Amino acid sequence: MASLSKPVAPRFDVDVFQNEYLAQGSREVNAIVTVTATGGGTSGGRPLGAAPAPGPGAAVVLVIDCSGSMEHPNTKMRHAREATAAAIDTLRDGVAFAVVAGTHEAVDVFPGNGRLAVVDRYTRGHAKEALRRLKPSGGTAIGTWITKARQLFDSHPQASIRHAVLLTDGRNEHEKPADLQRALDAATGAFTADCRGVGTDWEVAELRKISSALLGTVDIVAEPSGLADDFRAMMATAMGKQVADVALRVWTPANAQVKFVKQVAPAVEDLTERRTEAGPRAGDYPTGSWGDESRDYHVCVEVPAAAVGNEMLAARISLVLPQADGTAEVLGQGLVRAVWTDDLASSTRINAQVAHYTGQAELADSIRDGLEAHRAGDLDRATAKLGAAVRLAHAGGNEGTLKLLRKVVDVVDAGEGTVRFRKNVSEADSMTLETRSTKTVRVKK
């Protein structure tokens, strides 16, 4: 087995962008918090061109749908096996891993003893041999798959970076929604997971629920032939993670409270309900695992109204790494301020970063509402909502989302949001738009 180079912990920088000036009587303070990790994952801290070393005690579980629907078309299962093999090849030597076949039950087909194997050229070969024996049959009970992945990770407690990949082509039809929710509740915080839907017979909302709970990504692979490249990319990203279980800690002074905390780049993810108390007037919001990357968060705080001339610290934002003894290592910190003024120009100026990401969140909502209205047969509401989405994507410079929208609607005037619903929109185009609606573009600061 190849030896692992000692991972380099990334450096975290926290930058706050806001308009701190409030009009007299105003109480809402908004800020965009940019967190940047450098020097430890996928780019910095290693020789140019060298592959990143995985984080300490990295573990990966690959969960592959093997239900009966995976044989339609008959190439789907073959592509799933090839993609899983590609993911295994992308894993670094020394990483712990397992492969799970998911049907109406979950079976760890490799190594098959309820534990994880360690990647080397021998275990790679044996894992691929196990993949060749996978045959589609049975139903779909995703909660059991998640439970099996959690049990496998629990068998390897030394792993600090714990990441799963979940591939399905269908809906969770063979267990109750409450069963899936219980499995997610038990797995939340235990590992992260990227979810992929292949084809068009799965539910975007269902996979998004899973990926959100497990702080991962969700995407569609409309054609099975695209699975291998997607799996390689997911594993390359996972191998760049160096620090796990990082939290965004928000402290507010007396009589102030957090209204919401949302990740807004690279994708919109509402973290408000994920808060856990972290001492007097402080709460932690989970952010998952980090490599070399940058993310933006929108923090909104309600403060007591004050007279012109007053100023206060509205929030202290820290990036923290909880320790086993109950303390937390502070990785970076920024301050959110509030200053009351009678200068109308200052108090009414919307910070560019706040305005941009407010529009990006509204864009995601407009796409979701528009597609839901279309499925319900309300063409007028669908057209209005997707027209608003086109206007917001155009204004925000989100060319990727605008391109996806153009496959669903004919754009008459992007600036005004004037559109016509296209006839014979493919299910793949509609699902791709829905799946990727939360992806955002960064604002230039």
Side-chain angles (χ1 to χ4, degrees), residues 260-274:
F260 63 77
V261 174
K262 298 177 182 179
Q263 178 185 285
V264 289
V268 177
E269 189 69 63
D270 195 339
L271 302 175
T272 309
E273 300 303 319
R274 305 287 295 272

Side-chain angles (χ1 to χ4, degrees), residues 400-418:
T401 299
L402 189 57
K403 182 178 180 180
L404 295 176
L405 280 161
R406 289 182 185 274
K407 294 184 177 181
V408 176
V409 295
D410 288 321
V411 178
V412 179
D413 188 323
E416 294 294 327
T418 307

Side-chain angles (χ1 to χ4, degrees), residues 127-295:
K128 292 176 186 177
E129 185 66 33
L131 290 177
R132 285 191 281 271
R133 295 192 294 269
L134 294 182
K135 303 293 182 184
S137 66
T140 303
I142 298 177
T144 64
W145 310 355
I146 293 169
T147 297
K148 174 62 73 173
R150 177 177 57 81
Q151 292 168 346
L152 288 166
F153 285 121
D154 286 346
S155 76
H156 200 79
Q158 60 269 45
S160 61
I161 304 293
R162 304 168 300 277
H163 191 80
V165 169
L166 190 154
L167 172 71
T168 186
D169 77 329
R171 299 170 178 84
N172 193 41
E173 296 176 329
H174 294 88
E175 66 182 4
K176 296 178 181 178
D179 296 328
L180 174 59
Q181 188 59 57
R182 278 192 293 271
L184 283 176
D185 291 342
T188 297
F191 61 93
T192 59
D194 289 328
C195 299
R196 294 295 183 266
V198 58
T200 58
D201 292 329
W202 54 281
E203 288 188 4
V204 175
E206 192 167 73
L207 277 199
R208 192 185 302 283
K209 176 182 179 180
I210 297 167
S211 66
S212 293
L214 301 179
L215 297 175
T217 64
V218 60
D219 207 349
I220 181 174
V221 184
E223 295 297 328
S225 58
L227 284 171
D229 286 343
D230 188 70
F231 271 44
R232 287 189 192 94
M234 278 193 290
M235 283 299 94
T237 298
M239 290 296 93
K241 302 296 185 181
Q242 294 292 338
V243 181
D245 303 325
V246 176
L248 196 73
R249 178 167 294 177
V250 182
W251 173 92
T252 52
N255 300 319
Q257 62 179 2
V258 177
K259 292 189 70 175
F260 63 77
V261 174
K262 298 177 182 179
Q263 178 185 285
V264 289
V268 177
E269 189 69 63
D270 195 339
L271 302 175
T272 309
E273 300 303 319
R274 305 287 295 272
R275 176 185 173 110
T276 57
E277 298 305 312
R281 302 192 301 278
D284 285 355
Y285 301 85
T287 69
S289 302
W290 288 74
D292 276 13
E293 58 191 297
S294 182
R295 307 180 200 169

